[in-house]
Amino acid sequence: MWRRVVSLYPLLSPSKSSVLHRAKGGIASKEKTPFITFVLGGPGSGKGTQCAKIVETFGFTHLSAGDLLRKEISSNSENGAMILDTIKEGKIVPSEVTVKLIQKEIESSDNYKFLIDGFPRCEKNRIAFEQIIGKEPNIVLFFDCPEYEMVKRVLSRNEGRVDDNVDTIKKRLKVFSALNLPVIKHYTEKGKVCKINAVGTVDEVFEQVRQIFTELMV
Ligand code: ADP
Ligand code: C5P
Ligand code: MG
């Protein structure tokens, strides 16, 4: 026990420990109550990369709001054109559209552990989720990354995304500061946020993430 506390100390501040303590009841539940993790951070902070590793190691289902919206565009859904225009501008798609896509995935899944990545992007997203799904997140991961690093990563992502260019990234960073940081502040005040230093190699960042989920799964 002593060794465990000592080894966690540099990464888990006392407040982070209490975030985990509060969240534990949910994940240990035998009922199929969803355990919801919101995964937040600016564009290129490494959310998707780390979610893939959490899925592999801890058996979560990964729901990326951006991926669900891009799927709507490529399936020529009725909202496809509107979503494409919104993404090109780095703006936020109407909350009801995004929450309904997430809801469909949650309801059709056999899993009960979810990573909801890139959501909520703004207070309207957050409130719509709480109203439509009727649940708050058990925990919120925040990948804290300086802008220069996010810009560097986005510009070298090379996945052919319409929004990974200098003009759109500037807009996305502004939207992140103006609309997403207030959501992170809200959940920080509710004691739900685990802040992760997103600078470092993928494996170095994942070590911080691993410690959080290892604590949660106990
Ligand atoms: P997000 O989902 O937050 O937008 P991604 O996970 O897609 O970010 O990562 C953005 C880009 O940066 C990708 O090309 C990814 O391979 C790369 N990347 C992710 N994590 C790191 C890291 N820790 N160091 C360097 N590059 C990274
Ligand atoms: O998270 P990701 O970088 O994949 O998001 C890409 C874009 O998808 C965002 O810049 C935004 O235009 C849109 N999006 C949104 N609402 C969300 C998540 C993403 O409108 N909750
Ligand atoms: Mg992503």
Side-chain angles (χ1 to χ4, degrees):
M1 185 61 193
W2 165 243
R3 280 181 57 194
R4 186 177 189 86
V5 170
V6 168
S7 68
L8 285 176
Y9 183 73
L11 293 174
L12 299 180
S13 62
S15 64
K16 201 174 280 177
S17 300
S18 63
V19 172
L20 298 180
H21 182 73
R22 261 195 301 278
K24 259 184 199 173
I27 209 162
S29 159
K30 287 176 217 63
E31 301 300 319
K32 210 187 149 199
T33 310
F35 184 94
I36 306 278
T37 303
F38 284 159
V39 181
L40 301 181
S45 58
K47 302 181 293 297
T49 304
Q50 294 297 322
C51 282
K53 292 181 79 70
I54 300 168
V55 167
E56 212 175 277
T57 314
F58 296 102
F60 275 69
T61 291
H62 177 205
L63 304 178
S64 156
D67 286 350
L68 292 173
L69 292 168
R70 284 183 285 272
K71 216 165 87 188
E72 284 293 285
I73 298 171
S74 52
S75 67
N76 292 317
S77 83
E78 56 168 331
N79 288 319
M82 175 277 288
I83 295 172
L84 176 59
D85 287 346
T86 309
I87 287 181
K88 276 186 185 163
E89 283 303 308
K91 292 185 178 158
I92 298 175
V93 170
S95 298
E96 193 178 327
V97 172
T98 314
V99 174
K100 289 267 162 72
L101 294 173
I102 294 170
Q103 183 181 34
K104 213 163 92 191
E105 296 295 318
I106 291 177
E107 287 180 357
S108 64
S109 173
D110 287 335
N111 203 348
Y112 68 98
K113 294 181 281 188
F114 297 96
L115 300 169
I116 305 188
D117 161 6
F119 182 97
R121 222 45 169 229
C122 57
E123 285 289 281
K124 282 185 182 162
N125 268 188
R126 177 181 73 73
I127 290 161
F129 185 91
E130 288 175 8
Q131 281 175 352
I132 296 172
I133 311 286
K135 201 170 168 355
E136 287 200 17
N138 298 76
I139 189 167
V140 179
L141 300 186
F142 167 39
F143 289 95
D144 188 23
C145 196
E147 285 198 0
Y148 71 87
E149 181 68 22
M150 294 196 271
V151 172
K152 193 175 83 184
R153 291 183 191 176
V154 164
L155 294 181
S156 54
R157 181 152 43 192
N158 214 9
E159 288 178 3
R161 281 177 50 166
V162 291
D163 54 347
D164 282 351
N165 58 70
V166 177
D167 282 350
T168 314
I169 181 75
K170 278 188 200 152
K171 293 178 187 166
R172 288 158 70 198
L173 287 169
K174 277 192 187 146
V175 167
F176 173 70
S177 299
L179 301 182
N180 208 336
L181 287 179
V183 175
I184 294 164
K185 183 167 178 277
H186 170 85
Y187 286 125
T188 302
E189 284 163 6
K190 296 198 104 182
K192 294 194 172 201
V193 173
C194 282
K195 186 156 99 172
I196 292 153
N197 175 11
V199 180
T201 65
V202 170
D203 287 344
E204 281 166 355
V205 176
F206 188 63
E207 272 319 300
Q208 301 170 65
V209 174
R210 185 199 297 278
Q211 289 196 8
I212 289 167
F213 283 93
T214 301
E215 284 286 291
L216 279 172
M217 307 297 270
V218 173

